Amino acid sequence: MNRKLDFWIPQFGADEKALVADVLDSSFLNDGEVTTQFERQTAELLGCRHVVATTSGTTAIFLALAGIGVGAGDEVLVPDVTFIATANAVTLAGAKPVLVDVDPQKLTIDPQCIERAITPRTKAIVPVHVSGRAADMGGILDIAKRHGLLVVEDAAEAFLSKHEGKALGTFGVAGCYSLSPNKTITTGQGGLIATDDDRLHVRLRELKDQGRPERGSGGDDAHNSIGYNFKFTNLQAAVGLGQLRDLSRRLERMRDIYRGYAEGLRGVRGVSVLPFCIEGGEVPQWTDVFVERRDALYDQLVARRICGRRFWHPLHTQAPYRASDELFPNSTKLVPHAMWLPSAFTLSDADVTAVCGEIQEILA
Ligand SMILES: Cc1ncc(COP(=O)(O)O)c(C=O)c1O
């Protein structure tokens, strides 16, 4: 390729710069009114009662788990295929992440395997909507109900991706989003927690701000409980509000990039595009594929300046969470074949067609 095609490039414009300048001029940089405005706008978009903004997707999951009372002695079910942050957030809450194998078609947590992993210590399930693809929420909520478990969704990669018209992250008691640089909207780092539960909302606010449910004075405030400092500043929120102004175009571009790959790679031997349910409202954060000889394709694409990304190693193969391959037949077999294709908003339709052509040539 003449031009390098990136896996992802965050985009910013005049809106973000002007809104950040306003915050700087106001001289109130802390978590404040602009943060509240950003929380209200995202809650409205997601169709939930509350959003609490925080420092990252990881802290969002931690706060949600701590907020529902998960702690020492508890077990939390987490898929074996996810970014390690999901399990680390459980560990941060003092609980034990228990890994669960995934559905071989979608690479999201497999409800049948969930049933087998439940013990008397299990308190919650954290399904992950990998690449913006909905985990089987019907099956998961049904199991959760039968066993008295709480569901906190890791929707880090699924901001405004929907399942049957309802935003992912709004099915469980709380849903957590990441605003890191390779997401639909970014504030550099940042996270959001969506919930309809008024009490949990108050608890989340306390936990993110030293036990104060309302923004404090910094002086003679009442601190109802132990909390931390996971605040989200007006500066970050200004960037976020600017990003939201470009949201519809971005969501459409992400869907179009996926459609282009699905069309361009249809019938090509050695590669298959993982499907998204676009009609139901799913938004592909990045287009993912299974490839027979993944590493060879990945390397040859990089040599042609086409930058994809290989999937994360299954969590059971990472040092902190090591376990036997035999317990995870699907992730063990499939993850070495999974990768993401370049998915940056900056890719034109012609770029996507060109990538498909290069893949066809390499695989032939
Ligand atoms: C599935 C998943 N969970 C959690 C996270 C953690 O989010 P953050 O990087 O904002 O802490 C990510 C991050 O990209 C992710 O992809």
Side-chain angles (χ1 to χ4, degrees):
M1 299 296 288
N2 297 332
R3 185 166 62 89
K4 179 166 161 271
L5 297 186
D6 290 286
F7 168 66
W8 192 261
I9 307 182
Q11 287 188 297
F12 303 96
D15 284 334
E16 285 85 348
K17 287 178 190 163
L19 289 160
V20 167
D22 288 348
V23 172
L24 290 172
D25 288 343
S26 79
S27 80
F28 192 93
L29 309 191
N30 205 348
D31 191 306
E33 281 310 309
V34 189
T35 310
T36 304
Q37 215 184 318
F38 182 55
E39 289 172 333
R40 290 211 176 114
Q41 278 199 24
T42 47
E44 200 172 318
L45 286 163
L46 291 164
C48 62
R49 281 177 64 75
H50 310 286
V51 161
V52 175
T54 183
T55 53
S56 69
T58 311
T59 41
I61 301 167
F62 160 70
L63 288 171
L65 290 171
I68 60 170
V70 167
D74 294 330
E75 293 179 355
V76 176
L77 307 185
V78 167
D80 192 37
V81 178
T82 180
F83 184 49
I84 198 166
T86 319
N88 285 344
V90 173
T91 306
L92 186 60
K96 180 183 168 198
V98 172
L99 304 179
V100 175
D101 205 2
V102 295
D103 174 308
Q105 256 87 47
K106 306 199 322 169
L107 296 180
T108 51
I109 196 164
D110 185 339
Q112 282 180 21
C113 301
I114 290 179
E115 292 266 16
R116 293 199 287 272
I118 293 171
T119 75
R121 288 172 180 261
T122 310
K123 186 99 175 234
I125 309 172
V126 184
V128 179
H129 306 300
V130 179
S131 310
R133 183 177 294 103
D136 178 352
M137 290 315 295
I140 294 164
L141 291 171
D142 175 57
I143 293 170
K145 196 167 169 199
R146 280 192 279 113
H147 293 270
L149 307 176
L150 291 164
V151 175
V152 169
E153 295 169 76
D154 178 342
E157 303 169 5
F159 183 63
L160 287 175
S161 184
K162 296 181 177 172
H163 174 62
E164 292 175 357
K166 182 172 160 67
L168 294 173
T170 64
F171 286 80
V173 64
C176 305
Y177 306 88
S178 166
L179 304 174
S180 72
N182 62 4
K183 302 303 185 308
T184 307
I185 61 163
T186 182
T187 56
Q189 292 290 339
L192 302 172
I193 310 157
T195 186
D196 283 331
D197 185 319
D198 296 347
R199 280 177 57 190
L200 178 58
H201 175 231
V202 172
R203 185 75 194 113
L204 292 171
R205 293 199 59 85
E206 287 177 353
L207 281 166
K208 91 161 192 180
D209 186 17
Q210 312 290 6
R212 290 179 286 211
E214 299 297 333
R215 216 161 264 137
S217 68
D220 58 347
D221 299 322
H223 298 260
N224 296 344
S225 63
I226 291 172
Y228 313 97
N229 180 1
F230 291 126
K231 294 197 286 290
F232 185 84
T233 67
N234 272 352
L235 276 175
Q236 291 172 291
V239 176
L241 288 171
Q243 295 269 293
L244 288 179
R245 292 187 187 171
D246 189 32
L247 186 64
S248 325
R249 183 195 68 86
R250 291 181 182 201
L251 296 174
E252 198 45 39
R253 193 74 218 118
M254 291 153 83
R255 287 188 280 256
D256 280 346
I257 289 170
Y258 158 74
R259 286 191 191 107
Y261 282 130
E263 181 65 30
L265 294 174
R266 184 166 301 132
V268 176
R269 280 185 58 170
V271 60
S272 59
V273 177
L274 275 79
F276 280 94
C277 181
I278 302 290
E279 320 75 61
E282 281 184 351
V283 178
Q285 177 76 84
W286 317 295
T287 298
D288 38 16
V289 288
F290 285 131
V291 190
E292 259 166 48
R293 296 177 59 237
R294 180 196 67 177
D295 292 347
L297 177 69
Y298 175 85
D299 290 343
Q300 292 193 51
L301 286 173
V302 171
R304 294 174 188 217
R305 304 179 11 115
I306 298 170
C307 305
R309 232 178 227 190
R310 284 184 277 237
F311 254 59
W312 319 284
H313 296 293
L315 290 190
H316 81 271
T317 67
Q318 300 281 10
Y321 304 113
R322 185 124 26 227
S324 164
D325 280 353
E326 283 165 25
L327 300 171
F328 306 94
N330 292 338
S331 63
T332 301
K333 182 170 158 215
L334 293 165
V335 165
H337 297 284
M339 65 175 279
W340 291 284
L341 297 175
S343 299
F345 305 124
T346 44
L347 295 178
S348 65
D349 292 349
D351 290 332
V352 173
T353 306
V355 174
C356 295
E358 300 280 343
I359 291 175
Q360 242 175 307
E361 197 179 292
I362 295 166
L363 294 180

